[in-house]
Amino acid sequence: MSRRVAGAAISGAVVLTVGGAVAAVWAGTAAGQSVVDDGPDVLVAAAFTGLGAVLVAARPGNRVTWLLMTVGVTWATAGGSLAAGLLGVSQPGLVPWTSAWLLVGSALRTVAWYLAVLGLAIYFPTGQVLGRRWRWLPWALAVSVLATVANGLVDPGANLDISGWHNPVGLPPSLGFVETVTFLVGPPLAVVAGCFAVAQLVRRWRPGGPVERRQLGLFLAAAVPPVVAAPVGLAGGGPWVFYAAVLPLPLAVAVAVGRSGTSPRGSASRSTWTSYATTSSPR
């Protein structure tokens, strides 16, 4: 991939992330919220996009770098879309296409979460799966994302639970089996893929050298807190609990992949950011 293409992608990612953050802050303040309320969400998106952009510029051939940046873009745009939609629900007529913003935000939020939790685990740290027996994992990720997004689209509440709003494209009760099927495909398949993604990380650890083991250790140390914090936040701990837990993840991935100079084929090159950036070439 040429550096021109990578540069254009980085520019687009930055614009979308900034746009999503501005929309989220504007909608939040218009709804009477404090800027601090949206701060953690915006900070997480900025961390993923910013660190991902740095790595894409240095190593465009590694899928992990693109995943990192994509998580940030989808996270930010999802936050902005949902905030705009919620403002439209609370103040009818202020925001056009309220339902469209909510549906797009719901779908993008699903994509962001799945890529952050599963996508990075599947491809970390080399940007490739280990071999033929693991090639089904990316396909499982894609199917689980599509099924979960579809579940949100057909659900009467779009999996958002917003009082006073009804999903205009939600299916009637007579077609409720479609929602059931998508639910039984999406999350369960994601759980299975997640278990095998962890197994692949273990498989990488056993024959890995010191560099790869440091990478994997750093990634696992940063990935465990969000997994633990997610149910705590859902149980009433507040969204800031999850945001605080997930914030170290993009930094850990950036340090692990960037400092080691891992190539798409899993070989280690330079050990510092400077030499890494100057010696990397598009694959």
Side-chain angles (χ1 to χ4, degrees), residues 20-107:
V22 170
V25 173
W26 167 78
T29 53
Q33 299 178 355
S34 170
V35 176
V36 178
D37 295 333
D38 297 304
D41 192 25
V42 171
L43 183 61
V44 170
F48 273 101
T49 300
L51 293 170
V54 171
L55 289 179
V56 167
R59 203 64 166 182
N62 191 326
R63 290 188 183 94
V64 173
T65 67
W66 289 93
L67 280 172
L68 202 65
M69 188 170 69
T70 302
V71 169
V73 173
T74 51
W75 195 300
T77 50
S81 297
L82 289 173
L86 289 172
L87 179 61
V89 172
S90 63
Q91 302 183 29
L94 182 61
V95 179
W97 312 307
T98 295
S99 294
W101 289 119
L102 291 174
L103 291 174
V104 169
S106 176

Side-chain angles (χ1 to χ4, degrees), residues 101-204:
W101 289 119
L102 291 174
L103 291 174
V104 169
S106 176
L108 290 178
R109 184 178 63 177
T110 297
V111 174
W113 287 358
Y114 273 58
L115 291 183
V117 175
L118 285 180
L120 291 175
I122 289 173
Y123 285 111
F124 186 86
T126 65
Q128 294 182 347
V129 296
L130 274 177
R132 290 184 178 180
R133 68 176 62 183
W134 306 96
R135 288 179 182 173
W136 64 275
L137 282 175
W139 290 102
L141 171 62
V143 172
S144 61
V145 168
L146 290 175
T148 307
V149 168
N151 178 261
L153 292 177
V154 302
D155 178 66
N159 293 332
L160 295 175
D161 192 23
I162 300 174
S163 177
W165 178 78
H166 182 79
N167 180 7
V169 300
L171 297 180
S174 59
L175 297 176
F177 70 92
V178 177
E179 180 186 352
T180 301
V181 170
T182 54
F183 178 78
L184 292 177
V185 171
L189 183 58
V191 171
V192 172
C195 292
F196 277 90
V198 172
Q200 183 183 225
L201 291 172
V202 174
R203 180 65 183 84
R204 292 183 190 274

Side-chain angles (χ1 to χ4, degrees), residues 207-258:
V211 172
E212 189 166 13
R213 288 193 172 188
R214 284 197 297 269
Q215 287 178 301
L216 295 171
L218 188 60
F219 176 76
L220 290 174
V224 170
V227 175
V228 176
V232 174
L234 292 175
W240 65 270
V241 175
F242 179 73
Y243 295 145
V246 78
L247 188 58
L249 181 59
L251 180 60
V253 173
V255 171
V257 174

